[in-house]
Amino acid sequence: MSQVLDCPVLGLDTEFPERLFIVRHLPSNKYGCYCFDGTHGLACFSDEAGANGFASWIDIGGMMAEEVSFDEAREIAKDRPMPIVSLMLLDNMEDPEIHFIR
């Protein structure tokens, strides 16, 4: 008899907010990304203040917080080149919520 796992993939049991803030550099169309424990992902936040704080760490002038839906954030993450494999909710940077997109 086989056993079915409730959550076989990390991140599928986590509820992300429907609206998220990501960090984008408009002139180059680059986005703020983060690496946690060897996993690379598009950085996102549940509020604009978190996104702006993250943007201040990036050494590119003109990084701006942009509000997007969860689905839009997933698509942006999917369009990023490897090694980006996830969408990362970084409200707690020491314990991010990770949603894998590939």
Side-chain angles (χ1 to χ4, degrees):
M1 179 175 206
S2 65
Q3 180 182 12
V4 176
L5 299 174
D6 289 334
C7 182
V9 178
L10 179 65
L12 291 180
D13 62 336
T14 303
E15 295 266 341
F16 271 60
E18 183 52 40
R19 302 301 298 171
L20 297 166
F21 289 88
I22 59 173
V23 177
R24 181 177 181 190
H25 183 251
L26 288 174
S28 66
N29 203 35
K30 291 185 178 183
Y31 292 85
C33 295
Y34 191 70
C35 180
F36 179 80
D37 204 21
T39 300
H40 296 261
L42 176 70
C44 66
F45 301 85
S46 61
D47 61 42
E48 189 172 10
N52 284 327
F54 183 76
S56 71
W57 295 355
I58 300 173
D59 195 22
I60 298 176
M63 295 297 286
M64 304 284 296
E66 181 177 311
E67 186 176 6
V68 295
S69 71
F70 172 75
D71 291 336
E72 289 169 325
R74 280 188 85 244
E75 290 305 313
I76 292 166
K78 285 180 183 181
D79 287 343
R80 300 298 94 209
M82 291 297 284
I84 303 303
V85 296
S86 69
L87 179 62
M88 286 190 182
L89 183 61
L90 297 176
D91 291 345
N92 178 356
M93 293 184 79
E94 294 176 14
D95 187 24
E97 300 293 340
I98 300 173
H99 174 81
F100 288 95
I101 49 98
R102 56 176 137 227

